Amino acid sequence: METNQSVTSDFTLMGLFNHSGPHLALFSLVAATFTMGLLGNAILIFLIHTDARLHTPMYFLLSQLSLLDVGFLLVTIPKMAADFLEEEGTISFGGCAAQMFFLMLIGVSEGVLLSLMSYDRYIAVCHPLHYPVLMRRQVCLLMVGTSWLSGVLVASIQTSITLHFPYCASRTVDHFFCELPALLKLSCADTSAYELALSISGVLILVLPLSLIATSYSHVLGAVLHMHSAEARHKAFTTCSSHITVVGLFYGAAVFMYMVPGTYHTPQQDNVVSLFYSLITPMLNPLIYSLRNREVQMALVRILFRTGFRSKR
């Protein structure tokens, strides 16, 4: 066992692409998607911060979702792009630990936040008269604090346990960033007990928020079907369907990675799923959720109009 352990603390990331023609085109597509995701989320955060009409609980929670999505993009894609351009994939032990910690923090926080946002929609649709009280500023801050604290707690525990395992001489991670399942495959020690505990905790971390989401939207659906106004029904359905779409994209990838045992999916499938939730979903979220929303569009028009008016003066 001692002789199999690595004498260096660095890891090597396999990356997604080699330098062949088709892979260069795919890399360009990833770079464009990254730019779109970063720009879309940054615009959304800016609009919500600057436009007083968007200073509502729903948009405050959406700004936090965009902040987490920016985190997903920045933690994974720049390192992958740098490795591709420099044609090397080494990452230090500390860098690997930081990447794994922040990814876990952001992922858990976003999962909890999405479930709490479903509660916001439940209150808005089912108890609109009580909405200002039930979703007052203190409650919103408590929701956001709970999501971030959950992420920090889970990330601290999982990262510290994972990095305490001894790692074998071949420290090549068959992935494009340091993710917990990929790292466990390199350990010289028997990690089966920890993987079982990880699956159980993964079920709790994923199933509890999903249960809240399912409960909230079952009540919302019932309330929407009983609405007499077609316009109110359409507005409620549009807002809630956007949220359900985002939840489906995020949780679908998370369930595959952390609830399906590693023996049932290949490293290639892991790469695709990880790329999906670290790049595709953060790029789609502002488009699905907010930038097609009329209130957000009007806020963008007002900002552009004010900017144009100032430049003319």
Side-chain angles (χ1 to χ4, degrees):
M1 186 73 73
E2 293 277 332
T3 56
N4 287 334
Q5 284 184 236
S6 174
V7 293
T8 177
S9 62
D10 289 350
F11 292 96
T12 301
L13 300 171
M14 288 292 287
L16 276 177
F17 314 115
N18 58 36
H19 282 72
S20 63
H23 282 193
L24 281 169
L26 286 172
F27 173 77
S28 301
L29 183 61
V30 166
T33 307
F34 169 78
T35 305
M36 287 174 59
L38 211 56
L39 194 61
N41 284 291
I43 289 171
L44 190 54
I45 292 169
F46 175 74
L47 290 176
I48 292 170
H49 178 72
T50 55
D51 196 299
R53 294 175 182 84
L54 301 182
H55 291 175
T56 64
M58 183 183 79
Y59 286 111
F60 173 66
L61 296 175
L62 278 173
S63 70
Q64 293 298 308
L65 181 66
S66 284
L67 188 61
L68 289 167
D69 282 339
V70 168
F72 259 134
L73 291 166
L74 292 179
V75 170
T76 55
I77 306 304
K79 171 62 179 168
M80 185 269 286
D83 289 345
F84 175 80
L85 295 172
E86 295 171 5
E87 298 188 47
E88 65 166 80
T90 58
I91 184 170
S92 67
F93 184 85
C96 192
Q99 200 173 52
M100 188 161 55
F101 173 81
F102 284 112
L103 280 169
M104 189 85 65
L105 187 160
I106 294 165
V108 173
S109 298
E110 185 158 325
V112 173
L113 184 66
L114 286 171
S115 67
L116 294 173
M117 287 169 73
S118 71
Y119 172 76
D120 169 74
R121 291 301 83 206
Y122 160 72
I123 298 297
V125 174
C126 300
H127 303 284
L129 297 178
H130 297 107
Y131 187 81
V133 176
L134 293 174
M135 289 301 297
R136 59 192 180 277
R137 182 168 178 78
Q138 294 91 327
V139 174
C140 292
L141 290 173
L142 181 63
M143 284 181 166
V144 170
T146 300
S147 66
W148 281 97
L149 189 60
S150 301
V152 170
L153 185 64
V154 172
S156 299
I157 294 170
Q158 302 286 26
T159 304
S160 60
I161 293 174
T162 302
L163 293 177
H164 269 87
F165 286 115
Y167 287 95
C168 299
S170 174
R171 295 171 73 97
T172 302
V173 184
D174 200 354
H175 208 36
F176 66 97
F177 59 81
C178 285
E179 191 167 26
L180 194 151
L183 221 60
L184 284 178
K185 293 176 183 176
L186 302 182
S187 176
C188 301
D190 179 13
T191 61
S192 56
Y194 175 58
E195 288 182 52
L196 178 61
L198 190 64
S199 296
I200 294 169
S201 66
V203 169
L204 293 174
I205 292 167
L206 294 172
V207 169
L208 288 177
L210 278 173
S211 301
L212 178 58
I213 291 167
T215 303
S216 297
Y217 279 109
S218 62
H219 285 93
V220 167
L221 182 60
V224 168
L225 293 175
H226 285 91
M227 287 179 177
H228 298 295
S229 166
E231 184 181 349
R233 193 162 53 242
H234 175 74
K235 184 177 179 181
F237 180 78
T238 301
T239 304
C240 295
S241 63
S242 297
H243 187 209
I244 291 170
T245 304
V246 171
V247 166
L249 292 172
F250 178 81
Y251 274 100
V255 165
F256 180 85
M257 283 300 294
Y258 289 95
M259 286 178 65
V260 177
T263 51
Y264 291 95
H265 42 94
T266 64
Q268 291 74 24
Q269 290 172 328
D270 288 347
N271 275 328
V272 171
V273 172
S274 296
L275 188 68
F276 189 83
Y277 75 71
S278 65
L279 176 68
I280 307 299
T281 305
M283 184 273 291
L284 289 176
N285 278 355
L287 299 175
I288 292 171
Y289 227 136
S290 301
L291 294 180
R292 71 187 184 95
N293 183 303
R294 181 169 173 76
E295 292 173 324
V296 176
Q297 289 172 354
M298 292 306 296
L300 182 58
V301 168
R302 285 191 292 271
I303 289 290
L304 293 174
F305 177 78
R306 284 205 297 267
T307 305
F309 181 72
R310 284 174 189 156
S311 63
K312 285 179 182 178
R313 290 181 63 186

